[in-house]
Amino acid sequence: MRRPQFSLQTLLWLTVVIAAFCAGTQLDRYLKDRADPRDIHIRAALDEKTELDFREQPLSDVIEYLKQRHEIEIQLDNKALTDAGIGTDAPITRSVKGIPLRSALNLILSDLDLTYVVQNGVLTITTNARAGSTYFSLKTLLWIMVAVAVLLGAIQCDRVWRRQAAA
């Protein structure tokens, strides 16, 4: 019986694919072990149903209500709000029932051109500009590193194939 023969090109590609797979599975395992339980709790609360019935209530009171109702830490990014000319006393008028907290926050905050980020065990209300300038999460950074490693592996494979083809 004849044994299959693999070219160097096939073996290098197989090595790159296996390395990427192993790195990815180990990365997921590492990040699950490192995930902040408070962030996990906040993300779960964002999917909980909520209800709002506010008429000209200050933003700070609305946030305090949501904080107590869903038992999560919510903070206002006072510096970003002040820089954007939005006070914590900005009036909120909104009435909704039976929608996820995530949707309720989006409705409330979009009227003021605000958004939220979950970071370090806190849901922070901030401006879109400040949220867009937040640093990469550890997970994003590590996945970028894996992608770069795979890309460098593919480039190295290409160089070897070209040398092999030239010989």
Side-chain angles (χ1 to χ4, degrees):
M1 178 178 263
R2 190 165 178 237
R3 291 188 341 196
Q5 299 218 353
F6 296 103
S7 69
L8 183 58
Q9 178 180 11
T10 304
L11 290 174
L12 285 172
W13 267 117
L14 187 60
T15 302
V16 168
V17 169
I18 290 171
F21 174 76
C22 291
T25 55
Q26 292 305 313
L27 178 62
D28 274 351
R29 182 175 297 145
Y30 171 80
L31 290 173
K32 284 179 185 168
D33 292 343
R34 297 278 189 204
D36 188 333
R38 297 170 302 170
D39 285 359
I40 294 168
H41 177 68
I42 291 170
R43 292 188 193 290
L46 287 168
D47 293 327
E48 293 174 2
K49 301 288 185 201
T50 196
E51 57 185 64
L52 308 172
D53 189 18
F54 295 109
R55 290 194 185 8
E56 299 293 318
Q57 293 285 17
L59 174 62
S60 58
D61 290 355
V62 173
I63 296 307
E64 187 61 35
Y65 164 80
L66 292 172
K67 182 177 178 177
Q68 290 177 9
R69 178 179 174 92
H70 294 279
E71 298 177 351
I72 59 174
E73 186 59 36
I74 304 176
Q75 295 290 318
L76 293 168
D77 183 348
N78 290 320
K79 179 170 177 14
L81 271 63
T82 301
D83 290 349
I86 301 168
T88 59
D89 60 345
I92 303 294
T93 299
R94 184 65 66 175
S95 181
V96 295
K97 288 185 181 181
I99 65 170
L101 174 59
R102 171 186 326 278
S103 300
L105 281 169
N106 287 334
L107 288 170
I108 293 167
L109 300 175
S110 66
D111 290 344
L112 299 171
D113 288 329
L114 298 175
T115 191
Y116 64 89
V117 293
V118 177
Q119 204 171 6
N120 301 320
V122 177
L123 187 149
T124 304
I125 308 298
T126 189
T127 61
N128 290 316
R130 177 72 64 97
S133 69
T134 58
Y135 297 109
F136 284 117
S137 70
L138 177 61
K139 186 173 187 173
T140 303
L141 183 61
L142 290 174
W143 273 116
I144 289 171
M145 289 170 55
V146 168
V148 167
V150 169
L151 180 62
L152 291 174
I155 290 169
Q156 186 63 32
C157 286
D158 185 56
R159 287 180 181 165
V160 170
W161 298 328
R162 289 180 192 273
R163 273 191 244 134
Q164 194 178 34

